[in-house]
Amino acid sequence: MTPAAVHDALRDKTRIKVWEPVLWLVPLAVVALFPGSSFLVNQMAIMALFAISLDLVLGYAGIMSLGHAAFFGMGAFAAGLFAKFVMPEPIAGLVFAMAVGGISAYLCSYTILRGSELTIVMVTLGVSLILFEVGNYMTWLTGGADGLQGVVMAPVLGLFPFTFDGVTAAYYSLVVLAVFLVVYRRIVNSPFGTGLRLIRDNRLRASAIGIDTDKRIKLAYTLAGAIAAAAGAVQTHSMNFASLDAFAFERSADVLLMVVIGGTAWIYGGVVGAVVFIGLHHVLSDLTPQYWTFWVGVFLVLLMRVGRDRLVRPWTWFKGGPHG
């Protein structure tokens, strides 16, 4: 395939499909018709944004992270502190949080360039745990176990105030997610994204053909940290509050499950995973508050055993052939 053909193929992948605008009208219509679902839709959008940030390093660069909540938490507290002490404008706070998350991820990226996969997993987990303890210690700044309180947000763009019913917050998070999905699509379908796939498949071979693997991994990790921080910022803006739970290991584990459920290295994988996981959590915790994680575990085992493609076609479960 010629370079021109490759360029054309990548450009075609960045184009928005005809069905996508229709798909995006669904959550907007749900919020408009059922305002009581605003909180649920808001959480799905926030976690979907968080999930695509993890997929950038896991699905495309092949880097396992068990501490991705570090950047989510950094964004959450950066946005809250910015609103409390600088200015309450959400968009400005979002940009500031992304800068904090991106810089933090860039500094952390040097720790994942060496060592085995197990070492990288433990290092990323360690960073998240360290930030959790630092936040818990700095009660004068973060509020410690009580969280960062007293955060008051101005209307989005000076026109749309955050309301108690959560409708504005839901629209805000959906719009932010849509913008980042457009950007994300261009990143992963660019020559940079192609290079990440080569690094994921065989780092030594990618290096042999002239790809600066360390530079690309650091850049991917930085971008992922900035996107994760944006998700944390949107949550703080929506709730007027930031807690240390944003750094918790459970947060990293949940987003990893979302990526697994939705599928790696797919634009909408994080979105699908977030919708399914948050939806299951919402339904099962109402039915069996104490045992909802058991049923989520059963679903994950079924997903891995049957396959993502065959799960929606039960009549194919017991037939031969590879699992999707």
Side-chain angles (χ1 to χ4, degrees), residues 20-153:
E20 290 183 79
V22 178
L23 179 66
W24 274 100
L25 288 175
V26 174
L28 297 175
V30 169
V31 175
L33 297 174
F34 308 100
S37 65
S38 298
F39 177 78
L40 182 62
V41 172
N42 183 48
Q43 285 301 304
M44 287 179 175
I46 291 171
M47 295 311 295
L49 182 59
F50 189 24
I52 66 172
S53 73
L54 178 60
D55 190 40
L56 181 59
V57 294
L58 176 60
Y60 289 93
I63 299 172
M64 172 63 74
S65 174
L66 271 183
H68 209 59
F71 311 118
F72 183 90
M74 289 291 287
F77 276 92
L81 292 171
F82 185 86
K84 190 173 182 179
F85 297 111
V86 182
M87 61 182 299
E89 211 289 313
I91 304 302
L94 180 65
V95 174
F96 176 75
M98 289 179 59
V100 172
I103 293 171
S104 301
Y106 176 76
L107 295 176
C108 293
S109 67
Y110 285 90
T111 65
I112 66 170
L113 295 177
R114 300 292 183 269
S116 63
E117 293 182 359
L118 179 60
T119 302
I120 294 174
V121 169
M122 298 310 296
V123 166
T124 55
L125 177 59
V127 169
S128 181
L129 295 176
I130 289 171
L131 289 177
F132 179 90
E133 292 302 328
V134 169
N136 192 34
Y137 177 77
M138 299 177 64
T139 55
W140 57 273
L141 182 64
T142 64
D146 295 329
L148 181 64
Q149 303 180 35
V151 178
V152 179
M153 299 308 304

Side-chain angles (χ1 to χ4, degrees), residues 17-320:
K17 308 299 186 295
V18 176
W19 53 267
E20 290 183 79
V22 178
L23 179 66
W24 274 100
L25 288 175
V26 174
L28 297 175
V30 169
V31 175
L33 297 174
F34 308 100
S37 65
S38 298
F39 177 78
L40 182 62
V41 172
N42 183 48
Q43 285 301 304
M44 287 179 175
I46 291 171
M47 295 311 295
L49 182 59
F50 189 24
I52 66 172
S53 73
L54 178 60
D55 190 40
L56 181 59
V57 294
L58 176 60
Y60 289 93
I63 299 172
M64 172 63 74
S65 174
L66 271 183
H68 209 59
F71 311 118
F72 183 90
M74 289 291 287
F77 276 92
L81 292 171
F82 185 86
K84 190 173 182 179
F85 297 111
V86 182
M87 61 182 299
E89 211 289 313
I91 304 302
L94 180 65
V95 174
F96 176 75
M98 289 179 59
V100 172
I103 293 171
S104 301
Y106 176 76
L107 295 176
C108 293
S109 67
Y110 285 90
T111 65
I112 66 170
L113 295 177
R114 300 292 183 269
S116 63
E117 293 182 359
L118 179 60
T119 302
I120 294 174
V121 169
M122 298 310 296
V123 166
T124 55
L125 177 59
V127 169
S128 181
L129 295 176
I130 289 171
L131 289 177
F132 179 90
E133 292 302 328
V134 169
N136 192 34
Y137 177 77
M138 299 177 64
T139 55
W140 57 273
L141 182 64
T142 64
D146 295 329
L148 181 64
Q149 303 180 35
V151 178
V152 179
M153 299 308 304
V156 181
L157 301 176
L159 300 173
F160 309 102
F162 289 96
T163 53
F164 287 107
D165 59 8
V167 172
T168 300
Y171 285 136
Y172 172 58
S173 59
L174 286 170
V175 170
V176 172
L177 174 61
V179 170
F180 273 95
L181 277 175
V182 173
V183 175
Y184 185 70
R185 185 201 300 270
R186 297 191 67 85
I187 291 173
V188 299
N189 290 313
S190 67
F192 170 75
T194 302
L196 287 182
R197 294 184 185 89
L198 293 174
I199 294 172
R200 175 198 63 194
D201 295 339
N202 193 316
R203 184 181 298 190
L204 183 60
R205 183 175 297 176
S207 179
I209 63 175
I211 295 177
D212 190 338
T213 58
D214 288 356
K215 183 178 179 180
R216 293 205 180 209
I217 289 174
K218 287 190 290 186
L219 181 54
Y221 207 69
T222 300
L223 291 172
I227 298 173
V234 173
Q235 174 162 288
T236 298
H237 293 163
S238 301
M239 302 177 63
N240 289 342
F241 177 76
S243 72
L244 292 179
D245 288 342
F247 290 108
F249 169 74
E250 290 79 5
R251 182 84 61 174
S252 295
D254 287 349
V255 75
L256 181 59
L257 289 177
M258 293 175 199
V259 173
V260 170
I261 291 171
T264 58
W266 179 43
I267 296 295
Y268 285 100
V271 178
V272 172
V275 171
V276 172
F277 184 84
I278 300 296
L280 285 174
H281 184 185
H282 178 72
V283 173
L284 295 176
S285 60
D286 285 342
L287 296 176
T288 57
Q290 294 179 321
Y291 306 108
W292 73 271
T293 52
F294 168 80
W295 296 110
V296 171
V298 171
F299 171 75
L300 288 172
V301 171
L302 185 63
L303 177 67
M304 294 298 103
R305 180 66 185 88
V306 175
R308 191 174 294 104
D309 295 334
R310 299 173 71 180
L311 185 63
V312 296
R313 295 178 294 168
W315 59 88
T316 66
W317 291 4
F318 304 103
K319 294 181 180 180

Side-chain angles (χ1 to χ4, degrees), residues 1-13 15 189 191 194:
M1 184 177 291
T2 64
V6 173
H7 181 270
D8 291 340
L10 292 176
R11 186 175 58 185
D12 289 339
K13 290 182 179 181
R15 292 173 178 166
N189 290 313
T194 302

